[in-house]
Amino acid sequence: MFTRRSRSRTIALCALPVLALFGVAAFAPLPFTVAQPGMTANVLGNDHGKPVISIEGAPTRPTSGQLRMTTILATGPTVEVGIGDVVDSWFRTDRAVMPHDSVYPTGGSEKEIEKHNLEDMKKSQNSAVDAALNYLGMPKNSVDVTLNLADVGGPSAGLFFALGIVDKLDGGDLTGGRTIAGTGTIQSNGAVGPVGGVSLKTQAAHRDGATVFLVPKAECREATAELPEGLRLIPVTTLNSAVSSLHALDQGRKVPSC
């Protein structure tokens, strides 16, 4: 039978290996990436002196307002994240700890990851062009669309590239003069997909003046978690639903919400 004193010693001794593990964890790299709100870009404007969207072979219309695609800024694939970084991020709304493999699923060197992200961006741009022209019922062989956005990789700008093309060709003023931001992948058939990091992207959007944020419907819950005050969420599932919601917003009609 243990006395109170001997039991205390037992508990203390048993705790030593746990404390040792915490000590090791404090210095060992963890399989995480720390992300924060990144840059945003107006796809109706210019990037590095060039139009983000250039169209030839069809008349375009002047646009108003802004359509801002959003990004997250993550620690590099070889950057070591320690427990101190993780704990710090728990207490901050402008930081998020994400599994390393969810941010860099392909693995490989930094150059290989960068190449993969740029390939994803190119595929996303092609899908955006197809989705926009399909939505407008325009033949692809008579319209030449060039998309230019430097220093951004991945597929999450697809929806906003498509919206920008639609707005320039025959959108009927999608923004109504507002600054609209958002995120979402796009398929050639117009389907919008989730992207990750949405709560950080809403903060980037609010920081850069957006009052409305288009979010893939599947990510509504994440988007509402740290939603900045004054930023309105509109869930979308397709390019058609996004365009319809923006028109409804401009005309004062009912708009879906998360």
Side-chain angles (χ1 to χ4, degrees):
M1 181 167 65
F2 288 106
T3 65
R4 182 181 298 274
R5 182 178 178 183
S6 62
R7 188 169 184 273
S8 297
R9 286 179 177 175
T10 302
I11 293 173
L13 290 172
C14 288
L16 285 177
V18 177
L19 293 175
L21 287 175
F22 275 110
V24 172
F27 296 100
L30 300 175
F32 297 119
T33 296
V34 177
Q36 63 187 65
M39 53 82 73
T40 72
N42 176 24
V43 301
L44 298 177
N46 295 335
D47 180 60
H48 290 75
K50 297 181 179 179
V52 176
I53 301 174
S54 299
I55 300 175
E56 296 182 359
T60 59
R61 54 174 293 277
T63 59
S64 67
Q66 299 182 23
L67 289 171
R68 302 196 74 90
M69 53 78 66
T70 56
T71 67
I72 62 171
L73 182 63
T75 51
T78 62
V79 174
E80 294 184 350
V81 174
I83 194 168
D85 302 306
V86 173
V87 172
D88 178 62
S89 298
W90 283 343
F91 294 97
R92 299 181 59 167
T93 60
D94 63 341
R95 296 288 188 275
V97 177
M98 306 172 70
H100 186 276
D101 291 344
S102 72
V103 180
Y104 303 110
T106 60
S109 67
E110 289 194 32
K111 287 186 177 180
E112 290 171 335
I113 291 171
E114 182 180 1
K115 180 181 177 182
H116 176 79
N117 286 340
L118 291 176
E119 288 173 351
D120 271 355
M121 171 64 91
K122 185 63 177 178
K123 292 177 183 177
S124 174
Q125 291 176 343
N126 292 337
S127 295
V129 173
D130 290 344
L133 296 182
N134 286 337
Y135 171 82
L136 296 169
M138 300 180 68
K140 301 172 187 176
N141 57 4
S142 65
V143 182
D144 183 16
V145 180
T146 302
L147 301 176
N148 172 69
L149 190 59
D151 304 324
V152 177
S156 66
L159 170 61
F160 270 67
F161 281 136
L163 287 171
I165 296 168
V166 170
D167 202 16
K168 282 179 172 284
L169 285 172
D170 191 28
D173 190 11
L174 293 184
T175 70
R178 299 176 178 85
T179 297
I180 310 289
T183 190
T185 63
I186 194 79
Q187 297 181 25
S188 295
N189 64 4
V192 173
V195 293
V198 169
S199 63
L200 297 176
K201 292 179 178 180
T202 58
Q203 294 180 52
H206 183 260
R207 178 199 66 207
D208 291 350
T211 56
V212 176
F213 192 93
L214 303 186
V215 59
K217 187 175 182 179
E219 295 181 301
C220 262
R221 183 175 181 178
E222 181 184 350
T224 58
E226 300 289 348
L227 186 66
E229 186 177 352
L231 186 64
R232 180 175 185 175
L233 290 178
I234 297 180
V236 297
T237 55
T238 64
L239 175 60
N240 185 48
S241 71
V243 173
S244 296
S245 291
L246 290 178
H247 283 318
L249 180 67
D250 189 40
Q251 295 164 10
R253 294 186 284 111
K254 185 176 180 180
V255 179
S257 61
C258 287

